[in-house]
Amino acid sequence: MKTRLFHRIATGLALATAIAAPAQANEQTLEAAFDTALGTDLRAPRNYNPDYSNPLEQKVALLANGEEGRIGVAAIDLSSGHEIAILGNQRFPMASTSKIAIAATFLDGVDKGKLSLTSEYPLMIPVSSKPFSSKVAPVRKGQYLSARRLMELMLTRSSNSATDALLAALGGPDVVSKWVHSKTGITDFQLSRDIATLVRDDGEIDPVAQIDPRDSATPLAMVQLLKGLYQGEWLSEKSRRFLIDTMEQCRTGRRRIPALMPEDVTIAHKTGSLHNTSSDIGILTAPNGKSYAVAIYVTGQGTRANREAKIAHIARAIYDGYSKPTTHWVNAEY
């Protein structure tokens, strides 16, 4: 009884402190005070253990356990529509996986005649500044490159300066979010900052224990985006083909989705990395022509190498489960 009374008093004091904070206090500090007192499903998920409803999901869940950090997975067999998800509706930091949406937004502008892949824009090179010292991190203009070349650098080498060049040409991150929401109907997606700001201020929130809605998406939202782009729902065939072909040339993340894939599988993907989080999303195409959209977001796990190993094993499990339904699940080393 005394313990419960003490807890109620402590909670009340914490809330009183939060409410009495000065008006000019940082909004996130205020939110954190309420989180500490009451908790919140959005910012601190209580249950990291995945739920699953079919055998493939169950096998993937064994790999995507949340004991050492949240792991979100979603996949769709683009032939049958068979979908699986582990924490599929929970938000994760997109990091550089958002660059697929940036590319799609620009290519839609090309299709509408408002933009051109031959137009040249300057690289946006970060200028040194202290974390959180400004709302937007300062940048300087660098070499001018064609939008085509900028997009290639963004998708194949994950160039942040090239990405911010395209974002500036579009009008900023909000334009990308609005395109995703209005064009695709996907709502669990939010791009809030340019890459220079995102990288400079990285580490503010640990994605293992908290969810930051900024620059985040759910795994299910990202596989729906991949599905629509691959199937030509929102772009012309020319733009769709350019996007997929460029993603197939991705040079980052060799220890992620591609690591354990058979050599005859075609992989069009985009990686992402930030503080305590690694991710990889893309389209896997089997030799028989069947394709699967996959999104894997891993936090924690001790090291980046461990996160990448998780991604590799989960991706292979999904591929085997979709392409070989009678597979015996005997590879338990991860």
Side-chain angles (χ1 to χ4, degrees):
M1 188 69 178
K2 291 181 178 179
T3 301
R4 291 180 180 175
L5 180 59
F6 177 80
H7 176 73
R8 290 175 181 174
I9 293 172
T11 299
L13 289 173
L15 281 172
T17 302
I19 295 170
Q24 66 270 25
N26 182 279
E27 182 179 348
Q28 291 178 346
T29 302
L30 187 60
E31 289 177 351
F34 276 93
D35 291 349
T36 301
L38 297 179
T40 165
D41 288 337
L42 174 64
R43 295 174 63 82
R46 296 172 185 172
N47 182 11
Y48 299 151
N49 296 317
D51 295 323
Y52 39 81
S53 57
N54 60 65
L56 175 56
E57 239 175 13
Q58 183 175 1
K59 302 308 177 182
V60 172
L62 293 175
L63 297 171
N65 70 80
E67 294 179 358
E68 298 180 19
R70 294 187 303 129
I71 300 178
V73 181
I76 303 175
D77 182 333
L78 299 183
S79 299
S80 68
H82 179 202
E83 181 181 280
I84 67 168
I86 311 297
L87 300 186
N89 285 313
Q90 202 168 100
R91 292 272 190 149
F92 287 82
M94 285 189 290
S96 289
T97 64
S98 66
K99 293 173 182 177
I100 292 176
I102 295 170
T105 305
F106 193 95
L107 289 170
D108 184 52
V110 172
D111 290 342
K112 293 176 178 176
K114 297 178 180 179
L115 298 167
S116 170
L117 288 175
T118 60
S119 297
E120 294 190 344
Y121 304 98
L123 291 167
M124 293 297 180
I125 301 172
V127 175
S128 180
S129 61
K130 293 182 179 180
F132 319 114
S133 59
S134 57
K135 184 177 180 180
V136 178
V139 295
R140 64 175 178 83
K141 293 182 179 180
Q143 181 183 4
Y144 278 75
L145 298 172
S146 69
R148 177 184 294 273
R149 181 56 180 156
L150 290 169
M151 201 169 298
E152 290 170 348
L153 290 172
M154 175 177 71
L155 295 175
T156 66
R157 300 174 183 271
S158 206
S159 168
N160 293 337
S161 296
T163 304
D164 281 343
L166 292 173
L167 272 178
L170 285 169
D174 286 345
V175 174
V176 178
S177 294
K178 289 177 181 177
W179 182 86
V180 172
H181 298 163
S182 62
K183 186 79 173 184
T184 73
I186 295 169
T187 57
D188 289 332
F189 175 102
Q190 186 63 46
L191 191 65
S192 309
R193 293 168 286 186
D194 62 14
I195 305 301
T197 307
L198 179 64
V199 171
R200 185 197 66 178
D201 297 344
D202 186 26
E204 178 185 9
I205 292 175
D206 185 355
V208 170
Q210 292 180 297
I211 293 177
D212 186 348
R214 297 173 300 171
D215 307 292
S216 71
T218 66
L220 279 170
M222 295 308 277
V223 293
Q224 289 295 335
L225 179 65
L226 289 168
K227 172 180 177 289
L229 291 171
Y230 186 76
Q231 295 181 337
E233 292 184 33
W234 306 307
L235 297 177
S236 68
E237 175 56 25
K238 182 177 181 180
S239 290
R240 185 200 78 88
R241 191 68 260 167
F242 172 71
L243 176 61
I244 300 302
D245 286 348
T246 305
M247 288 170 60
E248 288 178 1
Q249 303 304 314
C250 180
R251 298 188 182 186
T252 61
R254 291 299 175 187
R255 294 189 296 182
R256 300 186 189 184
I257 285 178
L260 301 178
M261 286 294 151
E263 292 184 1
D264 54 1
V265 174
T266 302
I267 305 168
H269 70 124
K270 182 70 198 75
T271 58
S273 300
L274 282 173
H275 167 67
N276 216 15
T277 182
S278 302
S279 50
D280 204 356
I281 71 173
I283 303 290
L284 312 178
T285 302
N288 63 5
K290 289 187 176 181
S291 295
Y292 320 112
V294 179
I296 306 171
Y297 290 87
V298 178
T299 69
Q301 314 307 315
T303 65
R304 177 171 176 168
N306 289 343
R307 291 192 293 272
E308 292 182 325
K310 281 283 189 181
I311 292 171
H313 282 88
I314 291 169
R316 181 57 191 263
I318 291 170
Y319 177 78
D320 286 345
Y322 278 147
S323 62
K324 304 173 184 178
T326 58
T327 295
H328 295 285
W329 301 86
V330 296
N331 182 10
E333 296 182 3
Y334 53 88

